[in-house]
Amino acid sequence: MQVITLEEVDSTNVYAKNNLAAFEDKTIIHAFRQTSGRGRLNRKWVDLGIGNLFLSFVLKPSDCFNEIYSNLTQYLSVVLAKLLEEYGLKPQIKWPNDVLIDGKKIAGILSETVMQGANFKGLVLGIGVNLNARQTDIEAIQDKAATALNIELNQNIDMNEFIQKLADKFFADYDEFLNKGFEFIKSDYISRASFLDTEVCVKGFNDIKRGIAKSVNDSGELVLEQDGKQFVLTIGDILC
Ligand code: BT5
């Protein structure tokens, strides 16, 4: 596992995608500053200053795309949740891959698939974790409640140690996850899920669905019940 460290970059995901051919499988791109961090669906990831984590895993698991790769964000959310538990926190996962502390967002995960024409080239799995943020900067994120590990623990966090632990945990079960898929992490995911058996509204591409979040199926999809009918959602955001 090689770690490439950059002082500043627009986005570790964009950098990894643009230079994918130059990187071996399992390379980690880490930047101290990220000027144009990307969230899902064209949203932004805010850089809360030096000491916060911006990192992308370059993954080249095979020559062709496998559905299981879509669940890597959920795999990483479980890995992160377990790591935060080692720091004494009680993280919760909000479908599909948000990691929250007491309902506040501490991390964001973004997976991007790289294709060349019809050929699958690899994946870039990015993660941002608020490790050392100031409360005043956190409050500047107005559309969502957010927090940081240093704020939760009232102490500074050693970023190198955190990266090492995150990478070790990620790769410890990575091969087994690729063989078995979401089912391999399902119980770990469900036991940390904050949304099951509650009424939720989920924003998809074109609509918002409201209903009871009944379960997460073996493919990691959300099963929603609305007026006695069940819907299976593959992508979306739980808004409330
Ligand atoms: C995400 O998107 O949560 C995925 C974020 C992935 C960021 C990493 S950093 C390394 C790599 N390189 C990149 O360019 N990206 C990845 P989404 O679920 O769309 O959430 C975005 C929303 O989270 C924003 O609209 C804000 O509401 C909120 N947000 C933005 N920055 C935040 C922060 N630092 N802490 C907590 N919440 C934040």
Side-chain angles (χ1 to χ4, degrees), residues 11-80:
S11 149
T12 56
N13 266 34
V14 170
Y15 182 87
K17 284 194 297 178
N18 288 344
N19 299 287
L20 196 85
F23 301 133
E24 284 179 16
D25 181 29
K26 302 185 180 173
T27 300
I28 288 178
I29 313 291
H30 163 232
F32 288 111
R33 297 301 308 247
Q34 192 172 244
T35 54
S36 194
R38 290 153 57 89
R40 294 176 304 137
L41 306 168
N42 280 330
R43 290 186 292 248
K44 293 191 186 332
W45 185 254
V46 178
D47 178 337
L48 293 170
I50 293 269
N52 295 290
L53 181 67
F54 315 105
L55 172 157
S56 298
F57 293 96
V58 173
L59 303 171
K60 299 181 174 179
S62 67
D63 292 336
C64 51
F65 186 77
N66 183 322
E67 276 305 320
I68 283 174
Y69 304 157
S70 321
N71 298 112
L72 272 165
T73 57
Q74 288 166 311
Y75 172 69
L76 182 52
S77 70
V78 169
V79 167
L80 176 65

Side-chain angles (χ1 to χ4, degrees), residues 103-121:
K104 292 178 265 186
K105 184 158 165 145
I106 193 166
I109 296 172
L110 173 69
S111 175
E112 299 186 76
T113 304
V114 185
M115 305 290 293
Q116 198 172 61
N119 297 326
F120 171 71
K121 289 291 165 191

Side-chain angles (χ1 to χ4, degrees), residues 139-179:
E139 281 158 14
I141 302 167
Q142 286 176 350
D143 58 338
K144 210 160 254 171
T147 190
L149 189 52
N150 65 311
I151 290 173
E152 295 298 325
L153 300 181
N154 206 16
Q155 67 183 59
N156 287 341
I157 307 301
D158 183 325
M159 184 154 63
N160 286 334
E161 189 181 313
F162 191 92
I163 292 173
Q164 192 61 54
K165 286 182 175 170
L166 182 73
D168 287 349
K169 262 198 164 21
F170 182 83
F171 287 118
D173 289 331
Y174 173 72
D175 290 329
E176 197 164 357
F177 170 77
L178 289 183
N179 283 328

